[in-house]
Amino acid sequence: MALRAFFVVCALFSIALAQSTQLQLEAIEAHFKNAELVPIPIPVFEPMAILAANFQGLGNISPGQLVSKDQVTNAPELTLTPVNSTVSFNGNYTVAMIDPAAVGTDQSKGQYRHWLVNGAKVTDNKLTFEGATTITQYAGPAPPADSGPHRYTVVVYTQGENFAPPQDLSGPVPGVEQFVFPDYVKNTNLGPLVAGIYYQVEEGTATASIPATSSVVSSTLPAAHLPSSGTSSVPWAKPSIALSCASQPF
Ligand SMILES: *[C@@H]1O[C@H](CO)[C@@H](O)[C@H](O)[C@H]1NC(C)=O
Ligand SMILES: *[C@@H]1O[C@H](CO)[C@@H](O)[C@H](O)[C@H]1NC(C)=O
C-alpha cells in the first residue's frame, strides 16, 4: 500500500518534473533570445537539455546571472538534464564558451573564444574531458573596463562523425582570441546543439548606452499553462524531493 502510494507520488512527480524541465527549456530559449544571442553568435538555439554550470564556491548559475570575474576564474562543472526520456547522450561533444561582448556590439569580427574542447564525453549526464582535445583551455572573463556587461555563453554541441575542425583550430591554441563562431559551427559540421547557458560580467560602468533586454516572465511561457504545473516562478533549481524517486525512469 505504502509502496503503491510512493509510486503514485513518484509518477505524479515525474510528470511535474518533466513539465518543469520543459518550462526551464522554454525559459532558457527566451533568455537567449532576449539577450540577443540568437542567431548571432548562436545560429540556432533549440536545446534538447538544460545545461547546469556549477562554479566552485558559487554553485549553479542562473541564466544571465551577473557575477564577478573572481567567481568564475575556474571552469565550471557542466551537467545536462535531458528534456525527455528519448534524449540520451553518447559519442563526442564539443564544448565552447564565447564572449560576444555586450548587447549591441558589432559581431562582424567574431566573438572571443574563452573555451573550446572537442571530443568531450557525457557520463552520468556530466561533461567529462578525459581524452578530449582541448583547443583553448577555459579562460575566465576579463572584460575591458566600461564596456558593458559581457555575455559569456557556454554551449554544448553534438560532434558527429562528419565533424572536421579547421587546421588552425585542430590542436591547442592557448589564449583568448577572436573567431567567428557561427562560421565555426557551420564549417566544422557541428550540431545539433544540445544545450547552453550564459552569465554576465561587467567591469566599471558602460560609457556607451547598452540596449535594454527584456526579462523573461516565466508565467507567460507555454509550459506554464500546462494542466497541473501550478507554479508561477521558474523552478530553476530542481525540486530536491526528486532524489527520492531517482530509480524511476524519467
Ligand atoms: C523529446 O525531446 C526531443 C528534443 O527536444 C524532441 O525532438 C522530441 O519530440 C521529444 N519527444 C517527446 C516524446 O516529447
Ligand atoms: C569520437 O572522436 C574520436 C576522436 O576523433 C573518434 O575516434 C571516435 O570514433 C568518435 N566517436 C564517435 C562515437 O563518433
Side-chain angles (χ1 to χ4, degrees), residues 188-233:
T188 60
N189 305 313
L190 268 188
L193 173 128
V194 176
I197 193 164
Y198 78 104
Y199 64 83
Q200 301 184 88
V201 176
E202 179 170 20
E203 288 289 297
T205 314
T207 44
S209 78
I210 308 291
T213 59
S214 50
S215 61
V216 174
V217 180
S218 62
S219 59
T220 63
L221 299 171
H225 300 286
L226 292 173
S228 86
S229 111
T231 53
S232 59
S233 63

Side-chain angles (χ1 to χ4, degrees), residues 8-9 19 27 34 81 85 97 101 115-116 132 142 145 172 181 197 208 228 240 246:
V8 169
V9 168
Q19 283 185 3
N34 288 359
T81 303
S85 56
M97 183 168 89
W115 198 11
L116 184 62
F181 188 67
I197 193 164
S228 86
S240 56

Side-chain angles (χ1 to χ4, degrees), residues 23-196:
L23 191 58
Q24 281 179 292
L25 209 72
E26 287 170 13
I28 191 74
E29 282 179 27
H31 276 287
F32 267 60
K33 191 160 160 265
N34 288 359
E36 296 185 25
L37 292 166
V38 185
I40 298 174
I42 310 300
V44 178
F45 190 72
E46 290 167 6
M48 54 182 101
I50 297 296
L51 179 62
N54 189 294
F55 289 92
Q56 209 180 356
L58 182 63
N60 284 346
I61 50 164
S62 54
Q65 187 174 339
L66 196 60
V67 299
S68 75
K69 61 182 183 185
D70 298 340
Q71 290 177 302
V72 290
T73 47
N74 297 316
E77 229 178 59
L78 302 177
T79 307
L80 296 165
T81 303
V83 63
N84 64 43
S85 56
T86 68
V87 177
S88 61
F89 305 113
N90 43 57
N92 293 315
Y93 293 87
T94 287
V95 173
M97 183 168 89
I98 54 170
D99 172 22
V103 171
T105 304
D106 175 21
Q107 300 293 314
S108 59
K109 292 206 181 90
Q111 299 77 34
Y112 288 93
R113 188 179 62 250
H114 280 256
W115 198 11
L116 184 62
V117 182
N118 299 136
K121 301 284 190 295
V122 179
T123 310
D124 293 335
N125 286 351
K126 287 198 187 319
L127 269 301
T128 58
F129 300 103
E130 218 180 280
T133 307
T134 299
I135 311 299
T136 302
Q137 230 158 37
Y138 178 89
D146 309 332
S147 61
H150 283 226
R151 300 160 290 166
Y152 296 88
T153 309
V154 180
V155 277
V156 179
Y157 279 87
T158 308
Q159 183 190 310
E161 278 168 25
N162 294 333
F163 173 74
Q167 216 164 34
D168 60 344
L169 288 177
S170 57
V173 182
V176 174
E177 289 175 349
Q178 264 182 324
F179 76 143
V180 182
F181 188 67
D183 287 357
Y184 177 82
V185 170
K186 185 162 169 261
N187 298 339
T188 60
N189 305 313
L190 268 188
L193 173 128
V194 176

